[in-house]
Amino acid sequence: MRFRKIHGAGNDFILLSDLGPDDDIEWPKEAERLCARRTGVGADGLVISRLISDSPAVLEVACFNADGSIATMCGNALRCSAWAAHCDHGFQQMSLHMAGVVHDAVVSDDSVWVTAEVVTFSLGAYRPLSIEGRPGSTAPTPAPNTS
């Protein structure tokens, strides 16, 4: 298995890219095994990056936390994937798809920029919380993203 050990802004990842169609592994279990700091390679997460198209450049990126859970958004993993795609394929601009959301990336020799989806909150949409059956404070309910 060929991989990169890569870090971005405080997170370290095991990055696998350019996998073949028969490389369909049970990634959550593989993330737990590989990311274990004492017995594996050791990392905060496992990132799988697959090239979907090279004109325009489009990659599918999946990120698994060290416990095997799926990370639906990880800006550092997206930045690391974009940098690797730049090194491997020379892409300077690309689209990265993570958990059904499209992010745009721009890479130069010394920086990587990735867009991130921002969730909006409706100030009037609060619902009461209860903690162990007792009333607590209120928590915001995300408003639907209309953009």
Side-chain angles (χ1 to χ4, degrees):
M1 178 183 290
R2 293 181 49 111
F3 66 90
R4 282 184 167 102
K5 178 81 182 271
I6 190 168
H7 72 89
N11 294 120
D12 63 331
F13 303 102
I14 299 165
L15 176 69
L16 300 172
S17 55
D18 296 329
L19 300 173
D22 56 336
D23 291 328
D24 202 18
I25 296 172
E26 213 174 314
W27 293 117
K29 286 187 179 180
E30 197 66 11
E32 286 183 81
R33 185 179 74 80
L34 291 171
C35 293
R37 297 237 182 239
R38 296 195 197 280
T39 58
V41 175
D44 292 322
L46 173 64
V47 179
I48 311 299
S49 180
R50 285 193 163 103
L51 183 62
I52 304 300
S53 167
D54 59 2
S55 185
V58 178
L59 291 98
E60 181 71 38
V61 179
C63 184
F64 299 88
N65 295 310
D67 65 1
S69 63
I70 296 174
T72 57
M73 172 56 190
C74 182
N76 289 336
L78 289 168
R79 289 176 58 239
C80 290
S81 294
W83 178 83
H86 172 70
C87 292
D88 293 348
H89 304 285
F91 301 144
Q92 292 184 307
Q93 295 182 358
M94 64 201 85
S95 292
L96 305 172
H97 298 209
M98 179 181 270
V101 178
V102 177
H103 304 274
D104 295 320
V106 177
V107 182
S108 66
D109 290 333
D110 61 351
S111 64
V112 179
W113 296 87
V114 175
T115 60
E117 182 177 343
V118 177
V119 176
T120 56
F121 286 89
S122 171
L123 293 177
Y126 285 87
R127 59 182 161 81
L129 284 180
S130 66
I131 301 169
E132 295 180 0
R134 292 181 304 219
S137 61
T138 59
T141 302
N145 190 351
T146 58
S147 58

Short mmCIF file of all heavy atoms in Angstrom, two decimals, residues 85-121:
data_model
loop_
_atom_site.label_atom_id
_atom_site.label_comp_id
_atom_site.label_asym_id
_atom_site.label_seq_id
_atom_site.Cartn_x
_atom_site.Cartn_y
_atom_site.Cartn_z
N ALA A 85 -2.89 16.42 -5.23
CA ALA A 85 -3.33 16.41 -6.63
C ALA A 85 -2.49 17.39 -7.46
O ALA A 85 -2.17 17.12 -8.62
CB ALA A 85 -4.81 16.76 -6.73
N HIS A 86 -2.11 18.50 -6.86
CA HIS A 86 -1.23 19.46 -7.53
C HIS A 86 0.14 18.82 -7.80
O HIS A 86 0.68 18.91 -8.90
CB HIS A 86 -1.08 20.71 -6.67
CG HIS A 86 -0.07 21.68 -7.17
ND1 HIS A 86 -0.25 22.42 -8.31
CD2 HIS A 86 1.15 22.03 -6.68
CE1 HIS A 86 0.81 23.20 -8.50
NE2 HIS A 86 1.67 22.96 -7.53
N CYS A 87 0.69 18.14 -6.78
CA CYS A 87 2.00 17.48 -6.94
C CYS A 87 1.95 16.34 -7.94
O CYS A 87 2.86 16.18 -8.76
CB CYS A 87 2.49 16.96 -5.59
SG CYS A 87 2.90 18.25 -4.42
N ASP A 88 0.89 15.54 -7.90
CA ASP A 88 0.79 14.35 -8.76
C ASP A 88 0.38 14.66 -10.19
O ASP A 88 0.84 13.99 -11.12
CB ASP A 88 -0.22 13.35 -8.16
CG ASP A 88 0.24 12.76 -6.85
OD1 ASP A 88 1.43 12.92 -6.49
OD2 ASP A 88 -0.60 12.14 -6.17
N HIS A 89 -0.52 15.63 -10.36
CA HIS A 89 -1.11 15.87 -11.68
C HIS A 89 -0.88 17.28 -12.21
O HIS A 89 -1.25 17.57 -13.35
CB HIS A 89 -2.62 15.60 -11.64
CG HIS A 89 -2.97 14.24 -11.16
ND1 HIS A 89 -2.82 13.11 -11.94
CD2 HIS A 89 -3.45 13.80 -9.96
CE1 HIS A 89 -3.21 12.05 -11.25
NE2 HIS A 89 -3.59 12.44 -10.04
N GLY A 90 -0.33 18.16 -11.40
CA GLY A 90 -0.08 19.53 -11.82
C GLY A 90 -1.31 20.43 -11.79
O GLY A 90 -1.25 21.57 -12.26
N PHE A 91 -2.40 19.97 -11.21
CA PHE A 91 -3.62 20.80 -11.14
C PHE A 91 -3.37 22.03 -10.28
O PHE A 91 -2.80 21.93 -9.20
CB PHE A 91 -4.79 20.03 -10.54
CG PHE A 91 -5.18 18.78 -11.28
CD1 PHE A 91 -5.61 17.67 -10.58
CD2 PHE A 91 -5.13 18.71 -12.66
CE1 PHE A 91 -5.98 16.51 -11.23
CE2 PHE A 91 -5.50 17.56 -13.33
CZ PHE A 91 -5.93 16.45 -12.62
N GLN A 92 -3.82 23.17 -10.78
CA GLN A 92 -3.77 24.39 -9.97
C GLN A 92 -5.16 24.78 -9.47
O GLN A 92 -5.28 25.41 -8.43
CB GLN A 92 -3.16 25.54 -10.76
CG GLN A 92 -1.68 25.31 -11.02
CD GLN A 92 -1.06 26.48 -11.72
OE1 GLN A 92 -1.53 26.93 -12.76
NE2 GLN A 92 0.02 26.98 -11.14
N GLN A 93 -6.19 24.40 -10.22
CA GLN A 93 -7.58 24.62 -9.80
C GLN A 93 -8.31 23.30 -9.94
O GLN A 93 -8.10 22.56 -10.89
CB GLN A 93 -8.25 25.68 -10.67
CG GLN A 93 -7.64 27.04 -10.52
CD GLN A 93 -8.37 28.08 -11.35
OE1 GLN A 93 -9.30 27.79 -12.08
NE2 GLN A 93 -7.92 29.32 -11.23
N MET A 94 -9.19 23.03 -8.96
CA MET A 94 -9.91 21.76 -8.99
C MET A 94 -11.16 21.86 -8.13
O MET A 94 -11.28 22.76 -7.30
CB MET A 94 -9.02 20.62 -8.51
CG MET A 94 -8.59 20.73 -7.07
SD MET A 94 -7.11 19.78 -6.67
CE MET A 94 -5.83 20.94 -7.14
N SER A 95 -12.06 20.92 -8.35
CA SER A 95 -13.24 20.76 -7.50
C SER A 95 -13.03 19.50 -6.68
O SER A 95 -12.60 18.47 -7.20
CB SER A 95 -14.50 20.59 -8.35
OG SER A 95 -14.81 21.78 -9.02
N LEU A 96 -13.34 19.61 -5.39
CA LEU A 96 -13.22 18.49 -4.48
C LEU A 96 -14.61 18.18 -3.94
O LEU A 96 -15.28 19.08 -3.42
CB LEU A 96 -12.28 18.83 -3.32
CG LEU A 96 -10.88 19.31 -3.71
CD1 LEU A 96 -10.13 19.80 -2.49
CD2 LEU A 96 -10.12 18.22 -4.40
N HIS A 97 -15.05 16.94 -4.06
CA HIS A 97 -16.36 16.53 -3.58
C HIS A 97 -16.17 15.75 -2.29
O HIS A 97 -15.50 14.72 -2.29
CB HIS A 97 -17.07 15.66 -4.60
CG HIS A 97 -17.34 16.35 -5.89
ND1 HIS A 97 -18.40 16.02 -6.69
CD2 HIS A 97 -16.72 17.37 -6.52
CE1 HIS A 97 -18.41 16.80 -7.76
NE2 HIS A 97 -17.38 17.62 -7.68
N MET A 98 -16.75 16.24 -1.19
CA MET A 98 -16.66 15.55 0.09
C MET A 98 -18.06 15.48 0.69
O MET A 98 -18.69 16.52 0.91
CB MET A 98 -15.71 16.24 1.06
CG MET A 98 -15.62 15.54 2.42
SD MET A 98 -14.52 16.37 3.59
CE MET A 98 -12.97 15.57 3.21
N ALA A 99 -18.55 14.28 0.92
CA ALA A 99 -19.85 14.05 1.55
C ALA A 99 -20.97 14.80 0.83
O ALA A 99 -21.84 15.39 1.46
CB ALA A 99 -19.81 14.42 3.03
N GLY A 100 -20.92 14.80 -0.50
CA GLY A 100 -21.98 15.42 -1.29
C GLY A 100 -21.88 16.92 -1.45
O GLY A 100 -22.75 17.54 -2.08
N VAL A 101 -20.84 17.54 -0.93
CA VAL A 101 -20.65 18.99 -1.04
C VAL A 101 -19.44 19.25 -1.93
O VAL A 101 -18.41 18.61 -1.80
CB VAL A 101 -20.45 19.64 0.34
CG1 VAL A 101 -20.21 21.14 0.23
CG2 VAL A 101 -21.65 19.35 1.24
N VAL A 102 -19.59 20.20 -2.85
CA VAL A 102 -18.50 20.55 -3.77
C VAL A 102 -17.72 21.73 -3.19
O VAL A 102 -18.31 22.75 -2.80
CB VAL A 102 -19.06 20.91 -5.16
CG1 VAL A 102 -17.92 21.34 -6.09
CG2 VAL A 102 -19.82 19.75 -5.74
N HIS A 103 -16.41 21.57 -3.13
CA HIS A 103 -15.50 22.62 -2.65
C HIS A 103 -14.55 22.94 -3.79
O HIS A 103 -14.08 22.05 -4.50
CB HIS A 103 -14.70 22.14 -1.44
CG HIS A 103 -15.56 21.66 -0.32
ND1 HIS A 103 -16.09 22.50 0.62
CD2 HIS A 103 -16.01 20.41 -0.02
CE1 HIS A 103 -16.81 21.79 1.47
NE2 HIS A 103 -16.78 20.53 1.11
N ASP A 104 -14.23 24.21 -3.97
CA ASP A 104 -13.26 24.63 -4.98
C ASP A 104 -11.91 24.80 -4.32
O ASP A 104 -11.81 25.26 -3.18
CB ASP A 104 -13.69 25.95 -5.62
CG ASP A 104 -14.98 25.82 -6.40
OD1 ASP A 104 -15.14 24.79 -7.08
OD2 ASP A 104 -15.83 26.73 -6.31
N ALA A 105 -10.86 24.42 -5.03
CA ALA A 105 -9.51 24.54 -4.50
C ALA A 105 -8.61 25.23 -5.52
O ALA A 105 -8.74 25.00 -6.73
CB ALA A 105 -8.94 23.16 -4.16
N VAL A 106 -7.71 26.04 -5.01
CA VAL A 106 -6.68 26.69 -5.82
C VAL A 106 -5.35 26.44 -5.12
O VAL A 106 -5.22 26.69 -3.91
CB VAL A 106 -6.94 28.21 -5.95
CG1 VAL A 106 -5.82 28.88 -6.74
CG2 VAL A 106 -8.29 28.48 -6.61
N VAL A 107 -4.37 25.95 -5.89
CA VAL A 107 -3.07 25.59 -5.32
C VAL A 107 -1.98 26.33 -6.08
O VAL A 107 -1.97 26.34 -7.31
CB VAL A 107 -2.82 24.06 -5.43
CG1 VAL A 107 -1.48 23.70 -4.79
CG2 VAL A 107 -3.96 23.27 -4.82
N SER A 108 -1.09 26.94 -5.34
CA SER A 108 0.12 27.52 -5.93
C SER A 108 1.30 26.78 -5.30
O SER A 108 1.12 25.86 -4.52
CB SER A 108 0.19 29.02 -5.66
OG SER A 108 0.35 29.28 -4.29
N ASP A 109 2.51 27.20 -5.63
CA ASP A 109 3.67 26.50 -5.10
C ASP A 109 3.81 26.62 -3.59
O ASP A 109 4.41 25.77 -2.94
CB ASP A 109 4.95 27.01 -5.77
CG ASP A 109 5.03 26.56 -7.22
OD1 ASP A 109 4.43 25.52 -7.55
OD2 ASP A 109 5.67 27.27 -8.02
N ASP A 110 3.23 27.68 -3.00
CA ASP A 110 3.40 27.86 -1.56
C ASP A 110 2.11 28.03 -0.77
O ASP A 110 2.14 28.35 0.42
CB ASP A 110 4.33 29.05 -1.29
CG ASP A 110 3.77 30.36 -1.83
OD1 ASP A 110 2.76 30.33 -2.55
OD2 ASP A 110 4.36 31.41 -1.53
N SER A 111 0.95 27.81 -1.40
CA SER A 111 -0.30 27.93 -0.65
C SER A 111 -1.41 27.09 -1.28
O SER A 111 -1.36 26.76 -2.46
CB SER A 111 -0.75 29.39 -0.55
OG SER A 111 -1.05 29.89 -1.84
N VAL A 112 -2.38 26.75 -0.44
CA VAL A 112 -3.55 25.99 -0.88
C VAL A 112 -4.78 26.68 -0.31
O VAL A 112 -4.86 26.92 0.90
CB VAL A 112 -3.51 24.53 -0.37
CG1 VAL A 112 -4.75 23.76 -0.82
CG2 VAL A 112 -2.25 23.82 -0.82
N TRP A 113 -5.74 26.99 -1.18
CA TRP A 113 -6.98 27.64 -0.77
C TRP A 113 -8.14 26.71 -1.10
O TRP A 113 -8.23 26.21 -2.21
CB TRP A 113 -7.17 28.96 -1.51
CG TRP A 113 -6.12 29.97 -1.17
CD1 TRP A 113 -4.91 30.12 -1.77
CD2 TRP A 113 -6.17 30.94 -0.14
NE1 TRP A 113 -4.20 31.13 -1.18
CE2 TRP A 113 -4.95 31.65 -0.18
CE3 TRP A 113 -7.12 31.28 0.81
CZ2 TRP A 113 -4.67 32.69 0.71
CZ3 TRP A 113 -6.84 32.31 1.69
CH2 TRP A 113 -5.63 33.00 1.63
N VAL A 114 -9.03 26.50 -0.14
CA VAL A 114 -10.19 25.64 -0.35
C VAL A 114 -11.41 26.35 0.20
O VAL A 114 -11.37 26.91 1.30
CB VAL A 114 -10.01 24.26 0.34
CG1 VAL A 114 -11.27 23.42 0.21
CG2 VAL A 114 -8.82 23.52 -0.23
N THR A 115 -12.50 26.33 -0.55
CA THR A 115 -13.75 26.91 -0.04
C THR A 115 -14.37 25.96 0.97
O THR A 115 -14.15 24.75 0.92
CB THR A 115 -14.77 27.15 -1.17
OG1 THR A 115 -15.08 25.91 -1.81
CG2 THR A 115 -14.23 28.14 -2.19
N ALA A 116 -15.13 26.51 1.88
CA ALA A 116 -15.83 25.70 2.88
C ALA A 116 -17.28 26.16 2.93
O ALA A 116 -17.56 27.35 2.86
CB ALA A 116 -15.18 25.86 4.24
N GLU A 117 -18.19 25.21 3.06
CA GLU A 117 -19.61 25.54 3.17
C GLU A 117 -19.87 26.09 4.57
O GLU A 117 -19.42 25.55 5.57
CB GLU A 117 -20.46 24.29 2.95
CG GLU A 117 -21.94 24.57 3.00
CD GLU A 117 -22.77 23.34 2.71
OE1 GLU A 117 -22.23 22.37 2.16
OE2 GLU A 117 -23.95 23.36 3.03
N VAL A 118 -20.61 27.18 4.61
CA VAL A 118 -20.95 27.80 5.88
C VAL A 118 -22.43 27.57 6.14
O VAL A 118 -23.27 27.80 5.28
CB VAL A 118 -20.64 29.31 5.85
CG1 VAL A 118 -21.06 29.96 7.15
CG2 VAL A 118 -19.16 29.54 5.58
N VAL A 119 -22.75 27.10 7.32
CA VAL A 119 -24.15 26.86 7.70
C VAL A 119 -24.70 28.14 8.30
O VAL A 119 -24.04 28.80 9.10
CB VAL A 119 -24.24 25.71 8.73
CG1 VAL A 119 -25.67 25.53 9.20
CG2 VAL A 119 -23.70 24.43 8.14
N THR A 120 -25.91 28.51 7.91
CA THR A 120 -26.55 29.70 8.49
C THR A 120 -27.51 29.27 9.58
O THR A 120 -28.10 28.19 9.53
CB THR A 120 -27.31 30.48 7.41
OG1 THR A 120 -28.25 29.61 6.80
CG2 THR A 120 -26.38 31.04 6.36
N PHE A 121 -27.65 30.11 10.58
CA PHE A 121 -28.57 29.86 11.68
C PHE A 121 -29.64 30.93 11.68
O PHE A 121 -29.36 32.09 11.43
CB PHE A 121 -27.84 29.90 13.03
CG PHE A 121 -26.98 28.71 13.28
CD1 PHE A 121 -25.67 28.66 12.87
CD2 PHE A 121 -27.51 27.60 13.92
CE1 PHE A 121 -24.88 27.57 13.10
CE2 PHE A 121 -26.73 26.48 14.15
CZ PHE A 121 -25.42 26.47 13.74
#
